[in-house]
């Protein structure tokens, strides 16, 4: 302490007692629980709004007069947009820790498998499945990632946008994980066609309904519709169907213990993203003022995206017949996907469109 | 082990070269054929050439790298506490962090949001990973800075001000200046905001003063936390600069973009100068207790980083692409920083406004005077008496400096463009826009509002360009209010309901701390409302007097 103006010889907490010398918590927001979590402290109110606390309003507007963030960018309404807290409580440190752990896990698994010569022992029919269908799937993950990257600009609070941002980050990471994984095992497998996946994605009748479902999400202009359609509709109907219902259950029977480890990361990602999405839409669908209207909005989104998801899932059926070993029938996986969707919709109190 | 044999060599296996990996990842995108993506972010620019990613990074290496950087940051924060950093920290410095850290997380997260805009507008997917990394980086910056602020609040002697930080951000006259910066990244023409204003100018030029110069000064004041966090933040910026430059090169390919680029470089450079230099210059020059004459002043650093590194090596080469560079503006900014004492007038204004701040400002002393005069010849004649007044009036029982007529300070008009007041008095510019008078700190500020942020630029329609909006003059919000009621409304009162969060000193003692009662009885006035209410003759006289400047009375 060098300044001659100060009355105390230390800048440390507790060096003096005076008004608010013990005010050591952020006191401008209500924590969701009894005490603010670390996530809340570093997240809440960083994106302000004229109700909290922009006294001078937004100070730059778009040509139509709208400010930096407006409620009308989504059809959903809320009596308190600021109530949402992401259940995964993700902030930068936890995000990097988790993403980095996943990357480390995948690289260890793939390196060790390659060192042991595992890819060369994959069943030949299974190799075709990987290069074509897992190769096509990476584009679906990428499409969702870019769509969510777009959506994270538009939400009304920091909590909503950051949850969408981390979701986008997980999707884009996984799209790259698959890309690099296939490229690496391709080195060890003679005749592996790394371009087959994109060709299937763009041309195969099996994948066109999935591409259509993804492009419909990408083309939506309502950010919460994009978030809803991704996690409430597409993921259970198509994402989990393909990842858990097919890859993770069928791979080992075809002498592949590697791919399920790579894909399992995305399933864990989805559990967290689903929890965040359900929590947000539960709040909206049970909002005292706007709950009913929001249920109608969500059911409108279900009516738009569920048929696309069902169609996409149905068209994937031939894939289940391609491997040599077929331990699970498509119908079981599809039934599981339908149950999962029904359970999620039930959690939100939403009615699904009839098949 | 045999000579030259290492574990890496034994266990090495063939992999994908980085260039090949980046190429495969760039191939993840496709042109949608079922449903087209909506162009929700308007721009008047035309971009047909896909930008290239010079860094060729992939997320697989990005996340572990960032985690490692985080580990170092958080380890250092723990070490700082174990080393009892706060025992030796200079409160003069940490107090300014209440303002700085209230502002900066919003521009950071705005930058994350803006990656959606450039990601959607850039053709091809080559740079998608770059934008993704920047999006996550900015999320990192925003929350790591919030964490630092929480850490200061938990460990610094006076947490008041940190404890209301985001609420204060929405209300304070000074934070609105920072908001002009952050909102500039996300609103209006998407390329103007997310590429030129954010990346090409703010990140490429001004993060050097923000994230490199400031940490150096922090360290000189016993604060090792800020350098740890902000140099880590700055290490991400080189990637962002690469993104911005790559987009810029794509835009340069279209000759019809050149006019808009010239407009945006002019706007962005001037406004970054007006905002960033005002804030960071003040923190560095007035928040420090270190008066080592061998260290660089803010002006000297500005010349090195902005004039030499940015203007001469980044902007000037753009001329070979046919872009007209605004040389005069750069020289004018330099003149403002040196001859016109821009930073010093800002610090003076913050000090005058102390009752409506949410941090403490300590008076400058003889030791400071000597350094300022050494670095900025002529400083003492203009500012010496003021800071003597400030010290004298820092004691309870005095009339606060904002309303003390003995001082001679004339409260300034607010610039409608950069929101910093019109502190270089002779440069005051008054313009009528849509039938209303507005005040500007400089003719370029008036140009920004009237010419750049308009539906047409030099005969070319610019329908995507944003508009300046909101209640831009903070003083208008409290026109006719009693000062004590204003402070209460702002929420800048400690939880005892009477002691002010701001104090004009560093005396941590209730007996010395100003309360609402000590500032009651003074009515705030909006200079703009007052100006608009004047008769034309009175207004002309007022403007002439304002431009002539003022003199601080001797303080005895």
């Amino acid at each position: 302490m060098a300044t001659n103006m100060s009355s105390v010889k230390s800048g440390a907490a507790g060096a003096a007692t005076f008004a608010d010398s013990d005010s050591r918590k952020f006191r401008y927001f209500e924590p969701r629980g009894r005490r603010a979590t670390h996530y809340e402290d570093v997240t809440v109110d960083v994106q302000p709004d004229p109700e909290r606390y922009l006294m001078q309003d937004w100070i730059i507007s778009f040509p139509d007069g709208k400010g930096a963030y407006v409620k009308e960018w989504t059809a959903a309404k809320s009596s308190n947009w600021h109530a949402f807290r992401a259940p995964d409580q993700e902030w930068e440190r936890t995000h990097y820790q988790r993403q980095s752990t996943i990357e480390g896990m995948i690289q260890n698994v793939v390196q060790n498998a390659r060192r042991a010569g595992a890819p060369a022992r994959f069943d030949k029919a299974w190799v075709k499945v990987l290069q074509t269908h897992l190769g096509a799937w990476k584009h679906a993950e990428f499409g969702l990632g870019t769509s969510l990257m777009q959506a994270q600009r538009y939400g009304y609070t920091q909590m909503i946008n950051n949850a969408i941002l981390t979701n986008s980050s997980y999707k884009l990471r996984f799209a790259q994980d698959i890309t690099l994984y296939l490229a690496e095992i391709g080195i060890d497998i003679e005749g592996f066609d790394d371009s087959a996946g994109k060709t299937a994605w763009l041309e195969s009748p099996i994948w066109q309904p999935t591409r259509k479902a993804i492009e419909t999400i990408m083309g939506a202009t309502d950010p919460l519709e994009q978030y809803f359609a991704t996690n409430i509709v597409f993921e259970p109907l198509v994402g989990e169907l393909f990842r858990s219902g097919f890859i993770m259950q069928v791979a080992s029977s075809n002498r592949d213990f590697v791919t399920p480890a790579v894909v399992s990361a995305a399933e864990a990602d989805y559990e967290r993203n689903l929890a965040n999405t359900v929590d947000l839409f539960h709040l909206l669908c049970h909002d005292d003022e706007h709950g009913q209207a929001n249920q109608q909005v969500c059911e409108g989104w279900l009516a738009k995206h569920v048929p696309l998801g069902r169609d996409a899932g149905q068209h994937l059926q031939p894939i289940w017949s391609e491997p040599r070993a077929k331990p699970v029938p498509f119908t079981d996986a599809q039934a599981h996907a339908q149950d999962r969707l029904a359970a999620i919709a039930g959690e939100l109190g939403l009615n699904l469109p009839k098949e | 082990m045999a000579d030259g044999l290492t574990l890496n060599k034994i266990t090495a296996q063939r992999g994908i070269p980085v260039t090949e990996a980046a190429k495969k990842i760039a191939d993840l995108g496709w042109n949608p054929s079922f449903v087209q993506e909506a162009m929700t972010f308007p721009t008047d620019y035309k971009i047909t050439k896909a930008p290239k990613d010079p860094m060729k990074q992939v997320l697989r290496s990005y996340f572990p790298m960032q985690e490692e950087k985080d580990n170092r940051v958080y380890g250092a924060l723990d070490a700082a506490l174990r080393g009892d950093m706060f025992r030796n920290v200079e409160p003069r410095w940490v107090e300014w962090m209440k303002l700085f850290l209230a502002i900066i997380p919003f521009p950071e997260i705005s930058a994350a949001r803006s990656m959606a805009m450039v990601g959607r507008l850039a053709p091809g997917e080559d740079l998608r990973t770059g934008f993704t990394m920047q999006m996550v980086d900015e999320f990192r910056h925003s929350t790591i800075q919030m964490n630092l602020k929480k850490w200061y609040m938990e460990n610094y002697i006076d947490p008041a001000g940190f404890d209301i930080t985001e609420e204060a951000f929405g209300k304070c006259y000074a934070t609105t200046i920072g908001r002009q910066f952050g909102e500039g990244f996300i609103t209006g023409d998407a390329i103007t905001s997310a590429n030129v204003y954010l990346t090409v100018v703010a990140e490429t030029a001004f993060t050097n003063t923000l994230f490199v110069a400031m940490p150096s000064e922090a360290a000189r004041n016993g604060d090792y936390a800020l350098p740890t966090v902000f140099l880590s933040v700055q290490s991400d910026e080189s990637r962002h600069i690469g993104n911005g430059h790559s987009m810029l090169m794509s835009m340069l390919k279209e000759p019809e973009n050149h006019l808009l680029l010239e407009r945006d470089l002019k706007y962005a450079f001037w406004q970054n100068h007006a905002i960033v230099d005002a804030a960071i210059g003040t923190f560095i020059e007035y928040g420090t207790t270190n008066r080592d004459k061998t260290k660089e002043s803010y002006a000297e650093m500005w010349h090195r980083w902005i004039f030499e590194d940015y203007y001469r090596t980044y902007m000037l080469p753009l001329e070979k692409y046919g872009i007209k560079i605004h040389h005069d503006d750069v020289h004018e900014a330099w003149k403002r920083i040196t001859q016109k004492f821009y930073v010093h007038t800002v610090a003076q204004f913050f000090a005058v406004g102390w009752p409506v701040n949410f941090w403490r400002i300590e008076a400058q002393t003889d030791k400071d005077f000597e350094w300022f005069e050494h670095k900025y010849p002529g400083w003492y004649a203009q500012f010496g008496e003021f800071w003597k007044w400030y010290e004298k009036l820092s004691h309870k029982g005095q009339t606060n400096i904002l309303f003390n007529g003995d001082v001679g300070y004339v409260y300034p008009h607010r610039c409608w463009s950069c929101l910093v007041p019109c502190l270089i008095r002779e440069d005051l510019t008054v313009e009528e826009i849509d039938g209303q008078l507005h005040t500007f700190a400089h003719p370029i500020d008036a140009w920004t509002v009237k010419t750049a942020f308009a539906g047409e630029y030099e005969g070319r329609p610019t329908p995507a360009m944003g508009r300046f909006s909101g209640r831009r003059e903070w003083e208008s919000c409290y026109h006719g209010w009693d000062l004590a009621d204003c402070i209460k409304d702002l929420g800048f009162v400690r939880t005892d309901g009477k002691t002010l969060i701001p104090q004009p000193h560093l005396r941590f003692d209730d007996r010395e701390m100003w309360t609402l009662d000590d500032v009651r009885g003074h009515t705030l006035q909006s200079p703009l409302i007052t100006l608009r209410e004047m008769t034309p003759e009175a207004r002309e006289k007022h403007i002439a007097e304002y431009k002539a400047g003022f003199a601080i009375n001797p303080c005895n």
Side-chain angles (χ1 to χ4, degrees), chain A residues 114 179-180 183-184 186-187 194, chain B residues 13-26 55-58 60-61:
Chain A
R114 288 184 62 207
T179 306
L180 297 179
E184 282 173 344
I187 297 171
D194 206 20
Chain B
Q13 59 188 191
R14 251 180 88 205
I16 307 294
V18 174
T19 308
E20 183 67 14
K23 197 175 151 195
K24 286 180 186 298
I25 284 164
M55 311 292 276
K56 301 197 188 309
Q57 290 194 61
V58 294
R60 183 160 83 178
S61 56

Side-chain angles (χ1 to χ4, degrees), chain B residues 93-101 104 148 152 206-228 230-231 234 276-288 295-296 298 301 305:
Chain B
W93 174 260
V94 180
E95 287 295 330
W96 282 104
M97 295 304 100
K98 292 177 180 175
L99 172 59
F100 175 59
L101 291 172
I104 197 70
L148 176 65
Y152 281 129
F206 286 88
T207 53
N208 280 315
T209 56
L210 268 165
F211 299 154
V212 182
M214 249 187 75
S216 300
E217 209 53 49
R220 292 190 185 102
N221 287 277
D223 176 2
Y224 304 106
L226 189 103
T228 300
F230 277 85
L231 292 177
Q234 183 67 4
V276 177
D277 290 335
I280 307 305
T282 298
F283 303 155
I284 288 177
E285 303 291 53
Y286 287 82
T288 188
K295 74 173 185 179
E296 285 181 318
Y298 186 75
M301 287 187 282
W305 275 317

Side-chain angles (χ1 to χ4, degrees), chain A residues 52-261:
Chain A
R52 299 173 66 91
Y53 299 90
L54 298 184
M55 188 179 80
Q56 295 174 255
D57 209 337
W58 293 114
I59 53 178
I60 307 179
S61 65
F62 288 99
D64 61 3
K66 289 179 178 163
Y69 296 93
V70 293
K71 293 174 183 170
E72 293 74 29
W73 281 338
T74 177
K77 291 183 168 47
S78 174
S79 53
N80 180 11
W81 280 110
H82 297 268
F84 172 67
R85 303 285 189 271
D88 71 355
Q89 299 274 298
E90 200 125 305
W91 61 296
E92 67 96 18
R93 195 175 190 195
T94 55
H95 186 66
Y96 285 115
Q97 284 172 335
R98 189 163 185 282
Q99 292 280 49
S100 177
T101 301
I102 290 168
E103 296 292 25
M105 181 274 286
I106 290 174
Q107 283 190 70
N108 276 339
V109 168
V110 176
Q111 278 173 10
N112 290 331
R114 288 184 62 207
R115 203 163 285 137
R121 291 193 295 275
F122 288 177
D123 183 84
K124 283 192 170 40
W126 181 248
V127 167
K128 283 211 164 62
V129 168
L130 292 182
Q131 74 179 17
T132 308
H133 300 304
L134 187 60
W137 181 253
K138 67 185 188 290
H139 299 283
E141 297 283 352
F142 179 79
L144 293 177
T146 57
S147 167
L148 292 166
M149 187 172 178
Q150 155 94 358
Q152 61 88 32
R153 164 65 184 86
Y154 281 114
Y156 200 65
T157 73
Q158 183 84 341
M159 290 72 79
I160 294 170
N161 283 333
N162 282 3
I164 299 174
L165 183 155
T166 54
N167 196 160
S168 167
S169 171
Y170 282 126
K171 285 284 155 200
L172 292 168
R173 187 219 73 228
F174 185 53
Q176 295 197 5
D177 287 344
I178 301 174
T179 306
L180 297 179
Y181 167 62
L182 291 177
E184 282 173 344
I185 61 170
I187 297 171
D188 303 340
I189 300 172
E190 206 181 321
F192 191 87
D193 181 3
D194 206 20
S195 65
K198 190 159 189 182
T199 305
W201 177 249
L202 293 175
E203 297 171 12
S204 165
I206 293 175
W207 286 102
Q208 297 322 291
T210 300
R211 185 158 71 85
K212 185 178 180 185
I214 292 283
E215 289 182 9
T216 304
I217 296 171
M218 292 166 76
T221 54
D222 185 320
L224 292 192
E225 178 188 342
Q226 291 179 303
Y227 194 41
F228 181 93
T230 299
N231 290 313
I232 304 296
V233 182
F234 184 86
E235 284 282 41
L237 278 181
V238 193
E240 284 188 321
L241 175 74
F242 181 72
R243 293 189 305 253
S244 286
F246 179 69
I247 296 284
M248 292 182 65
Q249 294 191 52
V250 180
S252 60
S253 307
N254 289 280
R255 291 186 283 184
D256 173 8
F257 67 88
V258 194
T259 311

Side-chain angles (χ1 to χ4, degrees), chain B residues 44-151:
Chain B
D44 299 320
Y45 281 88
K46 185 177 168 192
I47 313 161
T48 50
K49 184 180 179 293
K52 294 287 173 203
D53 180 8
M55 311 292 276
K56 301 197 188 309
Q57 290 194 61
V58 294
L59 294 175
R60 183 160 83 178
S61 56
Y62 168 75
F63 287 117
M65 173 182 74
Q66 296 298 91
E67 189 200 22
E68 173 60 23
K69 280 157 70 172
D70 266 7
N71 287 342
R72 292 175 190 203
V73 166
Y74 293 100
L77 293 184
D78 289 347
L81 286 186
R82 285 196 295 273
D84 215 357
M85 179 190 107
F86 282 94
R87 190 180 163 87
N88 297 309
V89 82
E90 293 290 351
R92 177 190 275 188
W93 174 260
V94 180
E95 287 295 330
W96 282 104
M97 295 304 100
K98 292 177 180 175
L99 172 59
F100 175 59
L101 291 172
I103 293 172
I104 197 70
F106 174 70
E108 295 281 14
I109 203 65
S110 301
R113 308 294 173 237
S114 76
M115 289 304 102
M117 299 153 69
V118 285
R120 177 61 66 95
L121 288 168
E125 300 296 346
D126 207 57
L127 206 48
R128 171 68 67 172
T129 306
F131 294 142
T132 304
M133 287 181 187
Q134 184 166 353
M135 174 182 77
V136 187
D137 282 344
E138 308 290 10
F139 166 65
R140 171 177 194 248
H141 300 174
S142 175
T143 49
I144 208 170
Q145 289 160 3
M146 286 299 291
N147 180 74
L148 176 65
K149 181 161 54 179
K150 175 179 158 70
W151 190 79

